[in-house]
Amino acid sequence: MLVKAVLAAVLAPVAVTAQLHQLAVNAGLEYFGIAVGESAVQQDTTYRNLVNDKREFGQLVPENGQKWDSTEPNRGQFNYRNADIVPNVAKQNGQLLRCHALVWHSQLPGWVNSGSWNRQTLQSVMEVHINNVMGHFKGACYHWDVINEAINDDGTWRPSPFYNTFGTDFFALSFRLAKAADPDTKLYYNDYNLEYNQAKTDKAVELVRIVQAAGAPIDGVGFQGHLIVGSTPSRSALATTLRRFTSLGVEVAYTEIDIRHPSVPSSASARVTQANDYANVVGSCLDVAGCVGITIWGFTDKYSWVPGTFPGTGEALIYDSNFNKKPAWTSISSLLAASAKPTGGQPITTLTTSTRSAVITPPPITTTTTTPAAPITTPGNGPEQTRWGQCGGNGWQGPTRCQSPYTCQVLNPWYSQCL
């Protein structure tokens, strides 16, 4: 389903068809983006055509091309053949570019992993690498993931050549080097499983404080959002976790979202649950001042990393393997459309999404939800809209009846939805 946009400046002379990035910006976010596979965007025309649509995806991030093993496979020898692929696409299309990642324990070339380092020699290696890579993309990157995944799931610091040599001093060092290399980009710490607000999240808060206490610059924290259908925290719990970081004076973003089914092929009911989970994640960002955007790690199941990493699971993205939009796409687009802001104002409405508890339960939170308006009643036997679909609003010419047991709820003058 293509959702009708909230009309520009409240009313526009011609209605337009809105897509995810357009809807996200209308809802007050800075972008809706995706990770792009370097091989897929070169070889698959259907994939490339969707990537090129900046109304759908207004921000791109290279999936692998900018990582250390790709850009500096041998010491002092830099290769940007793969690293340039996605930035060139973003530049050609006028899309934002998010850059990923500089200092990470994984996807390091052997010469870094096996090196015998002291603080002086490793700092020199880091400085050369960061200066060269960030210098190559200087002025192009909206955000840089400076440090990636420095914390174990149990809340301990992760061993790496950097931690083993510097301890926690490598945090501030990395951010200082990055700031010197490109003063105008925003600098992020990025990690997964922060969403559950447990020991790992506590340690990430500590990491931000360590960097700040050292006087080093840090602008944001990226929540990767590699989640599981049916085990994703509620919208209110996710928002509470995001606020732990915005209270420190940094912005936050979801940087690598995918929500995998624990077994595949998924059922229709599981796909509805997945749609609810996606809506809760996106909704939590809308609820938090300082949450700036959403990035999905890919967009089509055809090229997802998930099945190869978690065998037996998958179907984690918002388009299926044949590039058809899934219920998750509809839930996101509907939520964003319902949250559109009038010029200079607050959201027209807040769509209430599921608040079921996660398998890993964060602390209980009291929230206030919006009571939907009375349902629209439409006689007749015309076509029926599915759950989450648009069913009314100014200029809407599609179905106005909802499939049972859902009813058409008025969310704002321009948007009604089957709920």
Side-chain angles (χ1 to χ4, degrees):
M1 182 199 73
L2 295 178
V3 181
K4 295 290 183 182
V6 174
L7 304 182
V10 182
L11 287 174
V14 179
V16 295
T17 300
Q19 293 172 270
L20 294 178
H21 176 68
Q22 288 177 311
L23 293 166
V25 171
N26 287 345
L29 300 181
E30 295 178 9
Y31 58 84
F32 191 101
I34 53 169
V36 175
E38 287 82 6
S39 295
V41 80
Q42 291 184 303
Q43 299 172 8
D44 189 322
T45 301
T46 303
Y47 180 94
R48 175 64 179 260
N49 288 340
L50 281 164
V51 169
N52 285 346
D53 188 348
K54 65 181 180 181
R55 300 166 303 168
E56 180 81 331
F57 306 125
Q59 174 244 58
L60 307 181
V61 55
E63 188 168 5
N64 287 296
Q66 291 178 321
K67 294 170 183 174
W68 199 317
D69 62 352
S70 177
T71 55
E72 194 185 3
N74 299 300
R75 186 171 183 176
Q77 297 178 0
F78 290 86
N79 185 333
Y80 294 104
R81 184 180 61 242
N82 288 331
D84 282 336
I85 293 169
V86 176
N88 287 343
V89 172
K91 182 177 180 180
Q92 180 180 2
N93 296 334
Q95 293 156 308
L96 295 174
L97 176 66
R98 191 168 195 280
C99 294
H100 172 83
L102 293 168
V103 180
W104 187 27
H105 72 279
S106 185
Q107 290 185 246
L108 285 172
W111 68 269
V112 178
N113 261 329
S114 61
S116 178
W117 307 111
N118 59 40
R119 292 170 72 99
Q120 182 178 0
T121 57
L122 187 54
Q123 178 172 335
S124 176
V125 164
M126 293 169 64
E127 187 168 359
V128 168
H129 182 78
I130 290 172
N131 282 344
N132 201 300
V133 175
M134 292 188 76
H136 182 81
F137 296 105
K138 189 173 183 177
C141 298
Y142 191 59
H143 296 161
W144 257 111
D145 287 330
V146 176
I147 299 177
N148 202 46
E149 301 174 5
I151 306 167
N152 289 315
D153 281 341
D154 63 0
T156 57
W157 300 122
R158 186 189 298 278
S160 70
F162 314 104
Y163 180 75
N164 296 345
T165 303
F166 292 101
T168 60
D169 289 349
F170 93 86
F171 303 153
L173 172 63
S174 300
F175 280 96
R176 285 196 186 100
L177 292 173
K179 186 68 171 180
D182 188 351
D184 296 326
T185 189
K186 289 187 175 181
L187 308 178
Y188 267 63
Y189 175 71
N190 191 55
D191 213 331
Y192 64 93
N193 284 352
L194 304 182
E195 299 81 14
Y196 298 106
N197 206 8
Q198 296 193 325
K200 187 169 189 177
T201 315
D202 295 340
K203 208 67 169 179
V205 169
E206 183 180 344
L207 185 152
V208 173
R209 287 175 171 158
I210 288 171
V211 174
Q212 291 175 330
I218 179 170
D219 299 299
V221 173
F223 285 63
Q224 291 184 14
H226 297 300
L227 301 166
I228 301 172
V229 172
S231 300
T232 298
S234 69
R235 175 170 172 169
S236 60
L238 288 165
T240 294
T241 306
L242 295 175
R243 290 189 187 102
R244 291 190 66 186
F245 294 88
T246 58
S247 70
L248 300 175
V250 297
E251 65 184 36
V252 293
Y254 286 107
T255 55
E256 302 185 19
I257 304 173
D258 47 48
I259 306 180
R260 64 186 182 270
H261 291 279
S263 63
V264 291
S266 59
S267 65
S269 62
R271 290 190 288 275
V272 170
T273 301
Q274 182 187 54
N276 284 330
D277 289 343
Y278 265 103
N280 283 335
V281 174
V282 174
S284 71
C285 188
L286 294 174
D287 292 341
V288 175
C291 187
V292 298
I294 302 292
T295 306
I296 308 289
W297 202 248
F299 64 94
T300 169
D301 294 334
K302 182 176 182 179
Y303 296 111
S304 174
W305 71 293
V306 169
T309 305
F310 303 100
T313 76
E315 299 179 13
L317 296 170
I318 59 177
Y319 284 72
D320 67 19
S321 295
N322 295 315
F323 299 99
N324 297 310
K325 294 170 182 174
K326 294 160 65 173
W329 186 96
T330 306
S331 70
I332 294 169
S333 63
S334 299
L335 172 63
L336 292 172
S339 303
K341 296 183 178 183
T343 302
Q346 297 300 312
I348 295 170
T349 186
T350 300
L351 179 65
T352 302
T353 53
S354 166
T355 55
R356 60 181 163 71
S357 298
V359 170
I360 304 175
T361 307
I365 300 156
T366 302
T367 59
T368 301
T369 56
T370 302
T371 302
I376 298 171
T377 56
T378 305
N381 298 312
E384 294 182 336
Q385 184 60 279
T386 58
R387 186 185 188 190
W388 300 111
Q390 185 174 1
C391 54
N394 292 348
W396 174 248
Q397 299 178 358
T400 56
R401 299 172 63 245
C402 299
Q403 293 179 354
S404 178
Y406 308 110
T407 56
C408 191
Q409 309 281 346
V410 177
L411 300 177
N412 60 54
W414 304 276
Y415 198 84
S416 301
Q417 181 182 24
C418 290
L419 299 171

